Amino acid sequence: MIINSKVILRDKRLADAIEDYAWRTDPELAQLDAAPLLTTTFPQYLLDYTNELRHPLSTRHRFAIETLEGKHIGNCVYYGIDETRGEAELGIIIGNRDYWNKGYGADTVTTLVHYIFHQTNLKRIYLKTLDSNTRAQKCFKKCGFTPYGHLVRDGFSFVLMEINRKQWQQQQAEQG
Ligand SMILES: CC(C)(COP(=O)(O)OP(=O)(O)OC[C@H]1O[C@@H](n2cnc3c(N)ncnc32)[C@H](O)[C@@H]1OP(=O)(O)O)[C@@H](O)C(=O)NCCC(=O)NCCS
């Protein structure tokens, strides 16, 4: 469990499945994330969910995002962990709309980046977000990510952003 000023990041658990399913079947969230809308039934989802919890991938580390009061508001992850290249991709979703634009995203990303650079040997964290998702881009910039390119895939246009360990250390030093 990792605690910061607004959020707690903790391991995923079975009780998260109901909210996760609701978020994965929400058309607006799918659109913002350029993700396919989930069409499986809840019982099937629960079965896959249980399997994933029992047999986690070694190339992915997922966390639930909770408020300091213990409310589950979203998820974050680093995945595609490549030990040879020393990098991984970061993902985040605040599924509960009541918690958008209140700094929970930035606190989560800052916390996760801090965790990755402290607990692993990874040197670079990257992400992609839709060109049109200016809120997400602003959130990531606040956390020290910088744009480094564009990607068009499956008809979606993405901004690519990254932060490397040296930049992060420099930012930490500047912030005292
Ligand atoms: C993207 C997301 C993680 C950001 O988290 P958040 O807690 O809402 O973001 P924060 O409050 O930390 O930062 C957002 C910033 O963007 C600003 N903002 C909000 N809407 C904006 C817009 N349309 N244009 C520009 N800036 C905007 C906010 O004012 C805030 O800046 P400020 O702190 O200077 O006021 C979260 O909103 C989310 O998960 N949204 C739904 C799914 C989604 O977008 N998924 C894609 C993720 S890649």
Side-chain angles (χ1 to χ4, degrees), residues 4 109-119 125 168 172:
N4 205 346
V109 173
T110 305
T111 308
L112 187 55
V113 167
H114 191 276
Y115 173 86
I116 294 168
F117 283 142
H118 264 278
Q119 301 296 327
I125 308 166
W168 176 76
Q172 295 289 105

Side-chain angles (χ1 to χ4, degrees), residues 11 57-63 76-79 81 112 115:
D11 286 337
L57 292 175
S58 60
T59 54
R60 183 175 73 171
H61 199 149
R62 298 188 300 155
F63 295 92
C76 63
V77 61
Y78 63 103
Y79 62 109
I81 299 170
L112 187 55
Y115 173 86

Side-chain angles (χ1 to χ4, degrees), residues 33 94 100-106 129 133-135 138 142:
D33 213 17
I94 308 270
W100 289 356
N101 298 329
K102 292 179 180 161
Y104 288 92
T129 188
N133 197 337
T134 43
R135 174 175 49 220
K138 190 157 181 200
K142 282 198 292 181

Side-chain angles (χ1 to χ4, degrees), residues 155-170:
F156 294 107
S157 179
F158 297 93
V159 178
L160 306 175
M161 301 181 84
E162 66 181 350
I163 186 167
N164 64 49
R165 185 180 285 273
K166 273 199 181 142
Q167 286 169 325
W168 176 76
Q169 282 167 337
Q170 217 165 4

